[in-house]
Amino acid sequence: MSSSSVRSFRIRNVRALSRLIAAGLLVSSVSYAAPAVTLNEWDIYNYPQQTEAVDQGIKAFSQQNPGIVINRSVHSFEDTRIPLKLALTAGDGPQIAQVNQGGGDMGSLVKDKLLVPLDSYASSDGWTTRFPDSILKRNRWSDSGDFGSGKLYGVASLGEMVGLYYNKALLDKAGIAVPKTLPELESAMAKLKEQGVPPMMLGLLDGNMGQQLLSTIWQAQIESSDRKKLDDLIYDVGGTFKDDKLVKAANMMKSWNEKGYLFPGFQGIGHDDAATLFQNGQSAFLISGTWYLGQFKDNKDIHFAAMPAGEGVQHALMVGGTDLAFSVTSTAKSKEQQDAAAKFIDYMVSDTMANRWLSVGFLPASTNKEAKMPADNALLAEAYQVWLTLNAHDGLGHYVDWATPTMNAELNQNVQLLLGGRQTADQMVNNFDNNYQRYLQTLKK
């Protein structure tokens, strides 16, 4: 072999070896690359606008975090209860799930060690400053099973509250200003009644509109800084429903009925039908929740305000809460999985996601004063301002049916009896308290 041939042979071998080394290095880099963290997620956002918002959120999150894969699965509300617990117990449930608050759901999962405490993430990611204590408290459970205290097991993305919807065109025609206090509301209803305008819409046939009216009048008399007694009731610390302000609220409702302030035939009207009647201008007021914002937004005469407060109350409580909390479950076994799951939840409760919720017409749980309001939804913008003010004073109250597993039925039945003239306010409040005290006794066994 000539010297030139030898040199050519060596060059070819060096090049081949270089290619092999390069290939080897490439294989090595692939084999040692960190694998993606895959997380299964369950949520109940099945309305089209909600699904769109969450899908967009997951897409944006995945672009920002290419090492985390989110496999989303949409479920019914009922799937977040027994089916979720069965799946987690079997060890094949989701790593991230929306969990219903309360003893029968989140409390039960915590007791069986099927949820991961999130306090370290709440601190490092700023959830404790992003949300008032009245919101986070709904997702706290102590090691001894006390609701509303102890470790944090979830955080919610959406908020809701029960306030005063009013038809400004009807009020203007009657020469009535938007009421700021309960006495002003009663005065406004008296004037409307005199002019032949049905003052207050109500539907008592089904659902919870009656009990929400009662609870809202009650909590409108409670200063947010004096909320402990109500918190103790709802979180089963103890106390009594025999409260003068609750009796006053019940008597006020009863008098509204006797004076003809409530929409005629309300006993036979369903809650959604009542909302539609209000939407069509059939009454001046409706006390209900922000879940009707989307339905009402195209009627420019309809507005939303804080519930008028009781006499002398500066910052009243308003009935409300959040949607189901996002939680990290026991199937996120590694620290890497738990960190990735918490990172996704942090995105779902971020200001970015809040703006996305607002853009599709939903009220976020966060309280960002710089949030972007959709230009075509003035009603939502009004509600969001009420939400900001409410939470600035830690004023988010409670759905009273949380107090016991059977309180929802107790409330609905007794409100019907009260407005049907078949019992007094005192009798009704005694019934509530008996229900509550019996439940407390079961907790001690």
Side-chain angles (χ1 to χ4, degrees), residues 110 119 133 136-153 231-232 235 237:
V110 170
D119 297 88
D133 184 59
L136 294 180
K137 196 171 183 179
R138 297 158 200 268
N139 307 302
R140 292 192 182 278
W141 287 87
S142 72
D143 292 339
S144 58
D146 295 325
F147 185 24
S149 63
K151 297 172 183 174
L152 184 72
Y153 286 94
D231 286 345
D232 286 350
Y235 295 125
V237 174

Side-chain angles (χ1 to χ4, degrees), residues 66-362:
I68 303 174
V69 176
I70 304 294
N71 290 330
R72 181 191 181 202
S73 180
V74 183
H75 291 253
S76 69
F77 171 79
E78 289 304 321
D79 286 349
T80 68
R81 314 191 82 178
I82 295 175
L84 175 62
K85 186 171 184 178
L86 290 174
L88 295 178
T89 302
D92 58 2
Q95 287 74 47
I96 305 166
Q98 277 191 290
V99 177
N100 186 43
Q101 297 91 338
D105 299 303
M106 183 178 284
S108 176
L109 296 179
V110 170
K111 181 180 179 181
D112 291 343
K113 301 187 184 306
L114 296 173
L115 297 182
V116 176
L118 300 177
D119 297 88
S120 61
Y121 303 109
S123 178
S124 62
D125 293 332
W127 301 349
T128 51
T129 55
R130 198 181 307 167
F131 300 98
D133 184 59
S134 57
I135 286 182
L136 294 180
K137 196 171 183 179
R138 297 158 200 268
N139 307 302
R140 292 192 182 278
W141 287 87
S142 72
D143 292 339
S144 58
D146 295 325
F147 185 24
S149 63
K151 297 172 183 174
L152 184 72
Y153 286 94
V155 63
S157 189
L158 291 179
E160 58 188 35
M161 57 187 163
V162 177
L164 182 72
Y165 287 102
Y166 62 94
N167 187 309
K168 193 170 188 304
L170 292 178
L171 294 187
D172 288 347
K173 186 177 180 180
I176 297 171
V178 179
K180 304 293 186 184
T181 66
L182 283 175
E184 288 177 5
L185 177 61
E186 292 195 291
S187 176
M189 290 195 292
K191 291 178 182 178
L192 289 162
K193 181 70 168 58
E194 289 174 1
Q195 298 182 32
V197 177
M200 180 67 68
M201 182 57 65
L202 181 63
L204 213 62
L205 181 63
D206 57 11
N208 301 318
M209 193 172 278
Q211 65 160 284
Q212 287 165 5
L213 177 60
L214 174 67
S215 301
T216 300
I217 300 172
W218 179 23
Q219 293 178 45
Q221 302 173 71
I222 301 174
E223 191 74 52
S224 62
S225 60
D226 190 31
R227 60 179 299 148
K228 187 177 185 303
K229 287 183 180 179
L230 180 63
D231 286 345
D232 286 350
L233 280 176
I234 301 303
Y235 295 125
D236 300 328
V237 174
T240 177
F241 273 83
K242 294 179 182 179
D243 180 83
D244 290 343
K245 293 174 182 177
L246 178 55
V247 174
K248 183 177 180 179
N251 278 321
M252 194 175 291
M253 276 182 67
K254 191 170 183 290
S255 72
W256 291 1
N257 185 34
E258 292 167 349
K259 294 174 181 178
Y261 295 168
L262 303 180
F263 191 81
F266 66 86
Q267 298 92 338
I269 300 174
H271 61 281
D272 285 339
D273 289 335
T276 300
L277 286 168
F278 173 75
Q279 180 184 1
N280 294 332
Q282 297 302 302
S283 72
F285 298 117
L286 169 69
I287 293 174
S288 193
T290 48
W291 46 85
Y292 285 124
L293 289 172
Q295 178 177 333
F296 294 161
K297 75 170 186 175
D298 292 331
N299 184 335
K300 303 308 178 185
D301 293 331
I302 294 178
H303 297 264
F304 185 86
M307 179 63 193
E311 290 185 89
V313 177
Q314 297 298 311
H315 303 292
L317 296 180
M318 283 177 64
V319 172
T322 65
D323 68 341
L324 277 62
F326 279 98
S327 298
V328 178
T329 77
S330 56
T331 62
K333 297 187 180 302
S334 69
K335 182 70 163 52
E336 187 179 30
Q337 282 184 310
Q338 293 174 10
D339 288 349
K343 194 169 191 176
F344 174 74
I345 292 174
D346 184 57
Y347 182 86
M348 291 304 295
V349 301
S350 67
D351 290 341
T352 299
M353 193 64 199
N355 285 333
R356 186 171 284 113
W357 282 127
L358 287 165
S359 71
V360 296
F362 289 87

Side-chain angles (χ1 to χ4, degrees), residues 398-411:
H398 295 286
Y399 297 111
V400 179
D401 63 286
W402 273 27
T404 80
T406 58
M407 186 61 77
N408 184 64
E410 191 81 34
L411 285 159

